[in-house]
Amino acid sequence: MAEYANVVPLRREPPPEPLWREVLGQRLRTLRLDQREETLAETAGRAGISPQYLSEIERGRKEPSSEMIAALAGALGTTLTVLTEQVSGDLRRLPGIRPSSGPVMLSLAA
């Protein structure tokens, strides 16, 4: 009696979307290093945070508040608006990331 193989079609899962905090961290590191290869301590000092915390933000480990992001933007000589636009552009350029093609539903908590 012949045996049949159980063949399952290979499904390619889309790569997971990156977290915003990871892309933000990469952008902050790029901005910091573009400025005369500034150290974590120099940038953190101007932003009023510890170098360790800045390191965690750059590595995408911490989700900074909007106030903290604005302080870091200022410490790096940019604005919150410009930084946000840069992060959005970085997200759009990632491979496999497509803009949503349908309506967006928002859930409102009562």
Side-chain angles (χ1 to χ4, degrees):
M1 197 176 208
E3 290 187 31
Y4 294 95
N6 185 12
V7 178
V8 178
L10 180 63
R11 282 188 283 170
R12 290 188 171 220
E13 297 291 326
E17 288 191 51
L19 296 175
W20 192 83
R21 70 175 187 239
E22 294 170 344
V23 179
L24 170 67
Q26 292 168 0
R27 171 54 58 181
L28 289 170
R29 177 176 285 143
T30 298
L31 288 171
R32 180 176 60 80
L33 294 176
D34 284 351
Q35 295 188 3
R36 306 169 314 274
E37 296 188 16
E38 189 169 84
T39 67
L40 282 166
E42 292 167 332
T43 302
R46 282 198 313 281
I49 62 174
S50 73
Q52 294 83 2
Y53 186 58
L54 177 54
S55 173
E56 290 186 78
I57 292 171
E58 285 187 356
R59 290 181 287 130
R61 304 272 194 252
K62 294 290 182 182
E63 185 90 45
S65 68
S66 58
E67 291 86 359
M68 185 60 56
I69 298 168
L72 285 165
L76 292 166
T78 190
T79 65
L80 183 59
T81 302
V82 170
L83 177 61
T84 302
E85 289 170 348
Q86 290 173 337
V87 173
S88 294
D90 293 343
L91 281 166
R92 279 190 212 97
R93 285 187 290 278
L94 289 172
I97 304 297
R98 293 180 301 248
S100 71
S101 58
V104 176
M105 294 183 68
L106 299 176
S107 174
L108 300 176

